[in-house]
Amino acid sequence: MNEDSNYRSSTQYRLWSYTEESLASLRSTTNNLAAIRVKDAIQRLHSTKAEETGYKDGSSQNSPERKDVDCLTVEEEQKLVSFYCVKAMELADFCDFPTNLKATAVQYLKRFYLSNSPMTYHPKSMMPSALFLATKTENYYISLKSFAAKLPKTTAEDIVAPEFLLTQGLRFTFDVRHPFRGLEGGFMELMAMAMGNYVTTKESKMTSESVQAEMMKIEPTNKGKPKAKNTQELVSHIQETHGKAKDVLKTSALLTDAYFLYSPPQIWLTALLSVDEPLALFYVDVKVPASSALKIKLTTTLYSCKDLLQSSTLLKPGGADMKELTRIDKKLYKCRNPEKMDLVGINKAQKREGDGKDRESLNEKIVKKRKLEREQGLKEGEDVFGPSLDT
């Protein structure tokens, strides 16, 4: 159960792993910076309008730039982002996208909004772009035209326009390490234990037979259900637990900060712990010696992660939740950055500027090349018979 050196070398561990304190601090900083920029942008807009309507000196007390802007709080931003993460999952299911792709798109959204605020870029605009980007990074081909056709009132340009902003927010790191594969490996090991085929380590005092015998003694999570009496019942129990744990990974693990705070092995073990605590603890007992200092640290981490997963956003928000989200969205309408609303227009402007710079650069290269050719031609013309011979 040593830390996976491969995971430690990944961008997810190096760039997207945080403590609870550092994560909260980052979000607070992002929110404060966005609020300042929103207020400045709104004031610039109001100042321009004031000049056009006669408030050229900005001295009137009725001038709109004097009104304060009520910006979103960090908590309100998180509620809004979580809601659109759920919407991304629903859209992925509607498009019949695989689980890994859906999970990647959700993490792209969550990562993007660590350094960007919904007050700057609305999640509704970023969500389709995150999902389409995930189809490319997860090697699941779908044409832009086909994908856009699945979205009402959305053009292909609406999907592509925020893509560069999204990749910038992701620091151009697209790899997402999920816990799904780890759960499948753990499931295979549990099945081997149940069938008496598990290969124990040299350090372990247990044999394959003793592991199977101890597994039979595990108390079921449902108190009204009897213990497994044979291998088949034990296998059925593990299969049922596997399905429930997979559901946790596809929902709670995606909608919380689990990917930022814990490693994939810790997340899938926590999913197992959440649905069948006795089986999960038995698995840890077999894998980690009782004398190991790692065992206490691991179980403490798993229970901490379990508390986090249980605080997950509901996939189907209730009436009170929707009322709160509606209030936040109305508040956001009044505190969005007016200079960042038209993402399609911004994208077109950036392309025009880029093309202009490229043309200027190309023209400079052509001029330099022609100048060198001209100088070379003059030099050769002055010396018809070539360079002088050294004597």
Side-chain angles (χ1 to χ4, degrees), residues 11 34 97 117 123 211 229 232 247 272 298 315 358 375:
T11 54
F97 290 156
S117 167
V211 169
K229 297 177 182 178
Q232 186 57 45
D247 287 339
L272 186 65
L298 176 61
L315 282 175
D358 290 342
E375 290 176 351

Side-chain angles (χ1 to χ4, degrees), residues 7 10-17 111 175-177 259 264:
Y7 175 69
S10 69
T11 54
Q12 182 163 318
Y13 177 78
R14 291 186 289 108
L15 301 178
W16 302 105
S17 293
R111 288 179 179 184
D175 179 38
V176 181
R177 304 295 176 96
Y259 277 66

Side-chain angles (χ1 to χ4, degrees), residues 17 38 59 167 175 235 248 273 311 321 341 348 353 374:
S17 293
V38 163
S59 61
T167 56
D175 179 38
V235 167
V248 172
L273 184 74
S311 68
D321 295 319
M341 287 186 183
K348 286 180 178 178
E353 290 175 6
R374 187 166 58 252

Side-chain angles (χ1 to χ4, degrees), residues 197-214:
N197 299 327
Y198 180 70
V199 180
T200 58
T201 60
K202 293 180 180 179
E203 294 78 12
S204 175
K205 296 179 181 179
M206 303 182 76
T207 62
S208 300
E209 293 76 16
S210 63
V211 169
Q212 185 185 33
E214 288 298 318

Side-chain angles (χ1 to χ4, degrees), residues 131-154:
L131 199 54
F132 187 64
L133 178 62
T135 66
K136 292 185 275 189
T137 59
E138 291 292 334
N139 296 316
Y140 186 91
Y141 176 75
I142 180 173
S143 69
L144 178 59
K145 184 179 179 181
S146 300
F147 181 63
K150 295 177 182 290
L151 307 179
K153 299 179 182 179
T154 304

Side-chain angles (χ1 to χ4, degrees), residues 272-284:
L272 186 65
L273 184 74
S274 299
V275 298
D276 196 328
E277 186 171 322
L279 184 62
L281 293 179
F282 172 79
Y283 180 81
V284 172

Side-chain angles (χ1 to χ4, degrees), residues 62-233:
N62 296 321
S63 181
E65 68 266 25
R66 295 185 182 275
K67 294 180 181 179
D68 193 22
V69 180
D70 185 17
C71 293
L72 297 185
T73 64
V74 175
E75 292 74 21
E76 289 171 335
E77 287 184 328
Q78 287 309 297
K79 287 179 181 179
L80 199 63
V81 171
S82 295
F83 174 73
Y84 280 99
C85 284
V86 172
K87 288 298 176 185
M89 294 167 69
E90 291 176 354
L91 179 57
D93 290 337
F94 175 75
C95 297
D96 292 323
F97 290 156
T99 300
N100 262 35
L101 192 157
K102 175 171 66 175
T104 295
V106 170
Q107 293 311 307
Y108 283 171
L109 274 178
K110 293 180 76 69
R111 288 179 179 184
F112 178 78
Y113 283 106
L114 286 184
S115 56
N116 294 276
S117 167
M119 292 185 286
T120 308
Y121 304 111
H122 200 295
K124 187 177 181 180
S125 302
M126 303 303 300
M127 184 262 291
S129 185
L131 199 54
F132 187 64
L133 178 62
T135 66
K136 292 185 275 189
T137 59
E138 291 292 334
N139 296 316
Y140 186 91
Y141 176 75
I142 180 173
S143 69
L144 178 59
K145 184 179 179 181
S146 300
F147 181 63
K150 295 177 182 290
L151 307 179
K153 299 179 182 179
T154 304
T155 65
E157 205 166 19
D158 292 330
I159 296 168
V160 173
E163 192 169 74
F164 185 67
L165 290 171
L166 179 62
T167 56
Q168 278 184 314
L170 297 176
R171 306 189 212 179
F172 302 99
T173 58
F174 309 117
D175 179 38
V176 181
R177 304 295 176 96
H178 296 292
F180 303 113
R181 187 177 294 180
L183 177 64
E184 297 307 312
F187 169 66
M188 292 173 65
E189 285 191 312
L190 287 168
M191 291 291 283
M193 292 176 189
M195 295 179 181
N197 299 327
Y198 180 70
V199 180
T200 58
T201 60
K202 293 180 180 179
E203 294 78 12
S204 175
K205 296 179 181 179
M206 303 182 76
T207 62
S208 300
E209 293 76 16
S210 63
V211 169
Q212 185 185 33
E214 288 298 318
M215 206 174 196
M216 288 285 188
K217 300 177 184 178
I218 295 176
E219 293 287 342
T221 50
N222 187 348
K223 293 182 180 179
K225 193 174 181 180
K227 296 179 184 178
K229 297 177 182 178
N230 52 55
T231 302
Q232 186 57 45
E233 289 185 4

